[in-house]
Amino acid sequence: MTSGTVRLTTGQALVRFLAHQWTERDGERRRLFAGVFGIFGHGNVAGLGQGLLQAHVEAVEAGYDGEEHGPDELPYLMARNEQGMVHAAVAYARTTNRLQTFACTASIGPGSTNMVTGAALATIDRIPVLLLPSDVFATRLPDPVLQQLEHPLGPDVTVNDAFRPVSRYFDRIWRPEMLLASAPQAMRVLTDPAETGAVTLALPQDVQAEAYDWPVEFFRDRTWHVARPVPEPAALARAVATIRSARRPLLVAGGGVVYSQASDALRAFAEATGIPVADTQAGKGAIAWDHPLAVGGVGATGNDAANALAASADVVIGVGTRWTDFTTASHTVFAHEDVRFVNLNVAAFDAAKHAADMMVADARTGLTALADALAGYHPEDGYGDEIAERVAAWQGVTDACYDGTFEEAGQGEGGDDAVDETGAPRRERTAMAQTQVFGVLNELMRPTDVLINAAGSMPGDLQCLWRASSPEQYHLEYGYSCMGYEIPAALGVKLARPDATVVAIVGDGTYQMAPQEIATIVSEGLAVVLVLLDNGGYASIGALSESRGSQRFGTRFRTRNAGTRALDGAPTPVDLAANAASFGVRVIRVTTPEELRAAYLEAAAADETTIVHAVTDLYGANPPGSAWWDVPVAETSTLPSTQRARAEYTAARAAQRTYL
């Protein structure tokens, strides 16, 4: 044990402490923090910012240069938007299976509260990220300082208290020595596979600059061993008994399978038992799409094959999933009257859902134990043939969506469905369907490449259609469904996987919300491919609005019409491709699948970031739906479209249930 002390400011000490944190799993040791994203303001520039600078200068003076960093140094990356930098940190952590992450520093006030959305996303998705928002003066001597909230209930409440409900751990460091107790607790949460999420250490700006005599021992290398909990024998026995009683079981693979690196164990389990495997957004790719027992996405945005099997499943085995409403189709997709659940999850909170037989364990160790204990078990005769038939039929639909020959009812020429529910004529498709874009990308992307997407209509289409061939290839943020995630996520993923081709599909709505981190990508000299789909509106919410009787109100990018006083005038004259080019990246405009194919191959081979701007159709076509999502419709209305939608909603709710 090292004795003695060293005098440092709190900002300097925190940088040094974080630089010496490590994780280990399965014998592989790596630094917990790859660096710090930050935007400086008066709240952190002379505190934590000075600490980062000093560590860098000392490292260079000691001979560390180029790509080699000093042992006390944390690499700094300048972000452009505080929410965006948290998204980038989350994407990095997810790509490294939650074994590494970034810290994020922001100034007091709006700089800090801009990170709250990112914190919520991280905690909901169970992804570790360390947030270091600046705060008011601990001494309160110059109160109220610039950007300080004066709360009438007490001076110890600041805007950073907004982080409490969206963080897995929160503390405000009122005195330097508080860091000695709080920093290790923060690391414990960041490296806990069950309890992880956003960790927030609020840093009063005067405390950041205050000096203290720190024990040298505080800065020794510390390795946090990430455990693989094994199932408790009695819990394993209960789960095995339930599964053995099943005639038509179905396994649903969630993100926990990917983070646990349990793909081999999942495939071995499926092959040993004959149990088919469906997936959630976070779990797609855990088993390759062309495996005979892979049935694809399940739930509200799932496919026909998986949802038909879910409807008749008598035992559902959830592995590493938290059972969101999209996965259960708002409690309608698992329709067997006596359906039972077995939940294998590292978090007891998730394992207990749906009155399941609980196995609280790591996904890999749990699947291996289940496979061994289920030796000799198989589902009912004919089940395997049914699985193959349903999957083959769905692959035909996927092919049609990818090549543009599939048409939804009401999309295309002629027939009684040639008008929408308001009586307005539907127009001919004049641009690519986004499913054709996905088809080109799915054909050309390798298993080692990474596809990124988040909110809107695209995640639904992708869960239905995307043929993921590896757990690394499919990176969808759908826990918080956060618009603006995709571009900063491309930054984070590329930092974690520099040799991969990283492709983020970005809608025009998302692009207009948060394009800023393109500048960070450029400043770091990274090469990613951004596929910008420009369809002139919010496709997902527009379709949902129409289906719920609200006539796509407020979902198209149009100018104000002086006659109707509505936003139904001419399309807004915004050239997103020209805007994207202003960031200093190359832009290729495409309008056909053939042009897209050529542009993608060019972009993927480039050593600079390229944006492929593709004009797509706002109205689809999209894959056929096979499940429901509970979005309430106005119970009373003067609009016939809403009245019809309410009747349909009431009928659909009849299938909703609790799983007891």
Side-chain angles (χ1 to χ4, degrees):
M1 194 160 184
T2 305
S3 61
T5 60
V6 57
R7 191 162 183 82
L8 300 168
T9 69
T10 303
Q12 295 160 2
L14 182 55
V15 170
R16 184 174 296 188
F17 173 84
L18 296 179
H20 287 269
Q21 305 304 302
W22 298 74
T23 63
E24 178 276 328
R25 188 172 73 178
D26 301 333
E28 184 177 357
R29 187 169 177 264
R30 60 187 83 188
R31 289 187 182 276
L32 174 56
F33 294 98
V36 178
F37 285 111
I39 297 178
F40 293 127
H42 70 276
N44 61 346
V45 65
L48 196 60
Q50 190 279 338
L52 289 164
L53 169 65
Q54 180 168 306
H56 170 69
V57 171
E58 290 174 350
V60 172
E61 291 175 346
Y64 295 96
D65 53 16
E67 295 184 0
E68 186 179 10
H69 300 288
D72 297 335
E73 181 185 14
L74 283 179
Y76 169 72
L77 289 82
M78 182 174 67
R80 268 61 175 183
N81 176 276
E82 291 89 357
Q83 177 180 321
M85 71 187 182
V86 182
H87 292 336
V90 166
Y92 185 95
R94 178 173 172 175
T95 305
T96 59
N97 293 314
R98 308 191 298 186
L99 298 172
Q100 289 182 284
T101 189
F102 272 79
C104 297
T105 177
S107 189
I108 184 176
S112 290
T113 54
N114 278 352
M115 296 196 294
V116 172
T117 293
L121 181 147
T123 296
I124 286 170
D125 287 348
R126 320 292 209 265
I127 305 294
V129 62
L130 177 62
L131 307 180
L132 304 172
S134 300
D135 218 315
V136 300
F137 274 64
T139 62
R140 301 180 187 165
L141 196 59
D143 280 9
V145 298
L146 179 64
Q147 299 173 322
Q148 177 177 341
L149 170 72
E150 294 184 89
H151 199 285
L153 294 181
D156 62 334
V157 176
T158 80
V159 295
N160 287 338
D161 286 278
F163 285 97
R164 291 182 184 271
V166 295
S167 299
R168 295 298 294 179
Y169 181 84
F170 177 92
D171 195 8
R172 185 176 284 109
I173 309 301
W174 290 115
R175 294 289 309 142
E177 56 267 36
M178 290 175 63
L179 199 62
L180 294 170
S182 193
Q185 287 296 327
M187 301 305 104
R188 175 190 62 80
V189 175
L190 288 170
T191 57
D192 188 316
E195 299 299 326
T196 196
V199 168
T200 302
L201 296 179
L203 302 172
Q205 52 193 300
D206 55 342
V207 175
Q208 290 182 49
E210 186 175 348
Y212 180 74
D213 293 321
W214 302 89
V216 173
E217 176 68 11
F218 185 58
F219 305 112
R220 67 173 174 84
D221 278 1
R222 179 158 186 176
T223 301
W224 298 86
H225 300 280
V226 181
R228 289 193 179 277
V230 299
E232 189 254 334
L236 175 62
R238 290 190 294 269
V240 168
T242 298
I243 297 170
R244 282 191 177 277
S245 71
R247 296 174 59 83
R248 299 177 59 83
L250 176 69
L251 187 147
V252 177
V257 180
V258 176
Y259 305 142
S260 179
Q261 296 176 287
S263 289
D264 290 345
L266 175 63
R267 184 172 57 253
F269 173 88
E271 292 170 354
T273 62
I275 296 176
V277 178
D279 54 56
T280 69
Q281 289 281 15
K284 184 170 287 294
I287 189 170
W289 73 274
D290 56 355
H291 190 282
L293 289 165
V295 300
V298 69
T301 52
N303 68 58
D304 286 345
N307 284 339
L309 295 170
S312 62
D314 51 357
V315 170
V316 180
I317 307 163
V319 183
T321 177
R322 62 190 186 92
W323 293 121
T324 70
D325 65 336
F326 262 71
T327 302
T328 67
S330 299
H331 287 208
T332 61
V333 75
F334 302 110
H336 191 287
E337 63 180 0
D338 296 318
V339 65
R340 290 169 294 166
F341 291 82
V342 173
N343 287 341
L344 165 57
N345 204 295
V346 73
F349 181 86
D350 293 316
K353 292 174 179 176
H354 300 162
D357 288 316
M358 299 169 58
M359 280 184 59
V360 180
D362 170 76
R364 193 165 85 182
T365 63
L367 283 167
T368 300
L370 278 174
D372 292 343
L374 286 167
Y377 167 80
H378 288 284
E380 68 180 11
D381 292 343
Y383 195 40
D385 292 337
E386 179 187 345
I387 293 166
E389 291 170 4
R390 291 190 182 279
V391 170
W394 179 255
Q395 292 308 329
V397 175
T398 299
D399 289 338
C401 289
Y402 276 178
D403 65 23
T405 59
F406 173 77
E407 295 288 354
E408 293 177 293
Q411 178 74 36
E413 297 187 34
D416 293 337
D417 291 322
V419 296
D420 65 22
E421 65 177 39
T422 69
R426 293 187 186 272
R427 59 178 180 77
E428 300 286 336
R429 188 195 303 161
T430 58
M432 282 189 293
Q434 66 186 24
T435 57
Q436 293 177 276
V437 174
F438 303 154
V440 171
L441 296 177
N442 211 167
E443 171 194 343
L444 298 178
M445 289 181 65
R446 302 164 299 179
T448 53
D449 298 334
V450 184
L451 176 84
I452 300 169
N453 192 241
S457 64
M458 288 187 277
D461 289 3
L462 287 166
Q463 193 192 12
C464 268
L465 303 176
W466 191 263
R467 292 162 169 165
S469 51
S470 73
E472 297 84 17
Q473 188 189 62
Y474 190 82
H475 186 117
L476 265 283
E477 194 294 298
Y478 212 58
Y480 205 39
S481 185
C482 189
M483 295 181 71
Y485 176 81
E486 295 93 328
I487 293 173
L491 166 63
V493 173
K494 188 64 176 182
L495 290 169
R497 297 274 310 281
D499 295 330
T501 298
V502 176
V503 182
I505 310 178
V506 185
D508 49 1
T510 285
Y511 179 87
Q512 292 177 78
M513 285 189 176
Q516 300 95 324
E517 297 317 315
I518 296 175
T520 305
I521 292 170
V522 171
S523 70
E524 293 296 331
L526 301 175
V528 301
V529 180
L530 303 178
V531 180
L532 173 56
L533 303 191
D534 194 344
N535 59 21
Y538 298 122
S540 174
I541 296 305
L544 180 68
S545 170
E546 185 173 359
S547 71
R548 297 306 190 266
S550 294
Q551 304 175 19
R552 293 184 179 261
F553 177 73
T555 63
R556 287 169 284 202
F557 300 149
R558 299 298 183 95
T559 57
R560 181 75 61 186
N561 186 323
T564 65
R565 294 180 288 107
L567 290 171
D568 59 3
T572 52
V574 178
D575 188 338
L576 296 183
N579 178 271
S582 72
F583 282 96
V585 299
R586 186 178 184 191
V587 176
I588 306 174
R589 298 178 187 250
V590 302
T591 58
T592 68
E594 293 73 26
E595 292 175 350
L596 173 63
R597 182 174 284 103
Y600 175 79
L601 291 173
E602 184 178 340
D607 58 2
E608 61 182 351
T609 289
T610 303
I611 293 180
V612 179
H613 176 272
V615 177
T616 55
D617 197 303
L618 181 63
Y619 300 96
N622 300 101
S626 58
W628 183 65
W629 184 37
D630 191 346
V631 176
V633 179
E635 189 170 359
T636 183
S637 174
T638 60
L639 303 179
S641 60
T642 305
Q643 294 167 3
R644 288 192 297 269
R646 178 67 191 191
E648 294 169 358
Y649 174 75
T650 301
R653 285 185 65 189
Q656 202 168 27
R657 58 185 296 187
T658 55
Y659 297 119
L660 301 175

